[in-house]
C-alpha cells in the first residue's frame, strides 16, 4: 500500500502546539458538527494534541472516536487531553492516511482538519477515508489556503513570509493552497458531484489579544520550529532573513488597526 512521502512542515514545537491546542470543534469543524449524532463512530485523522478529537467524543456519548496521527510523539499529549476531560469513549493510534489499518465501512464519520495540505497524495488519502467510511456516512475535510490569507496593514516582509512558506511547504511535498483544491481532489477520489458539499470559513485575528497571540506564535515558529530548520536546510532562507520575518510579524501584531484572515476550504462528502 502507498505510504506517506511528504514531510510535515510545522513539526510540534511549542509555537505550533500553541495554535493546535486552541482549535476546537466549534472554531474548526462547525461545518461538520450539525451532522454528528450521539451514536456515531468517528475517525479523526491528524488529531495532533487531541482538542478537536475530545470535542467530537463529547458529541457522541453513545458512540466512539478514534484519533490517529502520523507522529507517535504527539499522541501522549492527545491521551492526556482526553484524560483531563474524563472521556472514556476515545482512543488514539498511529496511522498513515494513505493506508489506514481499518476494515472497509468501519466509521460513520471520517474527519481530517488541516491534514490534506501536508500529505504526499491527497487524492489517495481521500480514497482511503472513503473506504473506511460506512455507506451513508460522512467524509469531512477542512484545510487552510495560504495564498488566500490576507492582512492589513500591508508589509513587504510579511509578503516575503508567505512566499517563503509556500516554497518550503511545496518542497516538503505538500500543497499549502489545499483549501481551494478540496472539491477537485474529492472528485478525483471517486465522489460524485452530488455527494460533495463544498463551503468556506475563516479564522480572523483583529483584537489586541488575538493579534498578539497570532503574531507571536508565527514569529516564534519562523525562527524556532521544524519549519524554520527546513527553510534553512533547504536553502530557502538564512537565519537573518528568518529573524527579519519574525520581527515583521511582531511589528504587525502591535498595529492597533491590524487584521488577519485565514480562509479555509471545507468539504462534506456522502458515501
Amino acid at each position: 500500500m502507498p505510504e506517506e512521502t511528504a514531510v510535515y512542515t510545522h513539526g510540534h514545537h511549542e509555537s505550533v502546539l500553541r495554535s493546535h491546542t486552541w482549535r476546537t470543534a466549534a472554531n474548526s469543524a462547525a461545518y461538520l458538527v450539525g451532522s454528528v449524532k450521539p451514536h456515531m463512530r468517528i475517525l479523526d485523522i491528524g488529531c495532533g494534541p487531541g482538542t478537536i478529537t475530545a470535542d467530537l467524543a463529547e458529541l457522541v456519548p453513545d458512540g466512539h472516536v478514534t484519533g490517529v496521527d502520523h507522529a507517535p510523539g504527539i499522541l501522549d499529549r492527545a491521551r492526556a487531553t482526553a484524560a483531563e476531560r474524563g472521556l472514556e469513549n476515545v482512543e488514539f493510534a498511529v496511522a498513515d492516511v494513505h493506508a489506514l489499518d481499518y476494515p472497509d465501512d468501519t466509521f460513520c464519520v471520517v474527519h481530517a482538519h488541516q491534514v490534506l495540505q501536508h500529505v504526499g497524495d491527497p487524492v489517495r488519502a481521500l480514497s482511503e477515508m472513503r473506504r473506511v467510511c460506512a455507506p451513508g456516512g460522512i467524509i469531512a475535510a477542512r484545510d487552510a489556503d495560504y495564498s488566500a490569507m490576507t492582512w492589513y496593514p500591508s508589509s513587504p516582509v510579511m509578503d516575503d513570509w508567505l512566499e517563503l512558506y509556500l516554497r518550503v511547504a511545496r518542497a516538503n511535498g505538500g500543497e499549502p493552497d489545499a483549501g481551494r483544491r478540496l472539491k477537485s481532489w474529492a472528485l478525483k477520489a471517486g465522489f460524485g458531484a452530488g455527494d460533495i458539499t463544498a463551503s468556506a470559513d475563516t479564522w480572523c485575528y483583529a483584537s489586541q489579544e488575538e493579534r498578539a497571540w497570532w503574531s507571536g506564535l508565527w514569529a516564534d515558529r519562523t525562527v524556532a520550529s521544524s519549519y524554520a530548520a527546513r527553510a534553512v536546510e533547504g536553502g530557502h532562507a538564512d537565519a537573518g532573513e528568518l529573524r527579519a520575518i519574525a520581527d515583521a510579524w511582531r511589528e504587525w501584531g502591535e498595529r492597533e488597526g491590524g487584521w488577519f484572515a485565514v480562509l479555509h476550504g471545507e468539504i462534506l462528502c456522502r458515501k
Side-chain angles (χ1 to χ4, degrees):
M1 295 287 284
E3 294 184 355
E4 178 61 270
T5 56
V7 175
Y8 180 47
T9 296
H10 298 288
H12 293 101
H13 183 264
E14 182 278 330
S15 61
V16 178
L17 293 179
R18 205 183 310 165
S19 172
H20 290 185
T21 55
W22 166 83
R23 298 172 183 175
T24 65
N27 66 31
S28 300
Y31 73 110
L32 168 63
V33 166
S35 300
V36 174
K37 308 302 180 186
H39 68 279
M40 286 181 162
R41 292 180 56 84
I42 299 175
L43 178 64
D44 187 26
I45 295 170
C47 65
T51 51
I52 297 175
T53 319
D55 284 352
L56 293 174
E58 290 182 342
L59 293 174
V60 292
D62 302 321
H64 188 270
V65 178
T66 301
V68 298
D69 202 282
H70 197 247
I74 196 61
L75 294 179
D76 286 340
R77 181 71 174 267
R79 293 184 182 101
T81 298
E84 288 165 5
R85 294 168 64 166
L87 297 168
E88 297 182 355
N89 63 333
V90 60
E91 64 181 354
F92 297 94
V94 176
D96 179 352
V97 68
H98 299 90
L100 294 168
D101 190 23
Y102 299 101
D104 296 358
D105 306 336
T106 299
F107 299 96
C108 306
V109 174
V110 183
H111 168 258
H113 183 263
Q114 311 292 6
V115 172
L116 297 181
Q117 64 185 282
H118 296 296
V119 304
D121 189 344
V123 174
R124 175 66 196 180
L126 281 165
S127 295
E128 270 292 273
M129 292 168 68
R130 184 175 187 270
R131 180 186 65 79
V132 301
C133 186
I138 298 169
I139 295 88
R142 183 177 194 255
D143 272 273
D145 194 295
Y146 274 76
S147 290
M149 292 184 186
T150 189
W151 57 87
Y152 184 84
S154 61
S155 164
V157 182
M158 286 181 65
D159 291 342
D160 293 341
W161 158 75
L162 180 55
E163 292 176 5
L164 173 64
Y165 182 83
L166 295 173
R167 290 198 306 273
V168 174
R170 286 175 176 144
N172 287 338
E175 177 43 71
D177 292 343
R180 70 187 67 185
R181 291 172 163 84
L182 292 179
K183 182 179 179 181
S184 173
W185 288 341
L187 290 169
K188 292 177 182 177
F191 292 99
D195 298 325
I196 305 168
T197 300
S199 58
D201 202 353
T202 60
W203 290 332
C204 185
Y205 307 103
S207 71
Q208 180 179 354
E209 294 78 12
E210 290 166 344
R211 294 194 316 273
W213 179 77
W214 184 242
S215 63
L217 69 85
W218 265 107
D220 292 344
R221 192 180 302 191
T222 298
V223 296
S225 69
S226 295
Y227 156 65
R230 288 169 183 139
V232 173
E233 291 166 3
H236 305 288
D238 60 33
E241 290 169 323
L242 294 180
R243 286 194 297 270
I245 290 172
D247 290 344
W249 267 109
R250 296 190 186 280
E251 180 181 351
W252 171 83
E254 293 171 357
R255 300 292 293 270
E256 186 175 3
W259 177 92
F260 198 109
V262 179
L263 178 69
H264 298 89
E266 305 165 335
I267 49 171
L268 286 177
C269 305
R270 286 282 181 182
K271 180 174 176 180

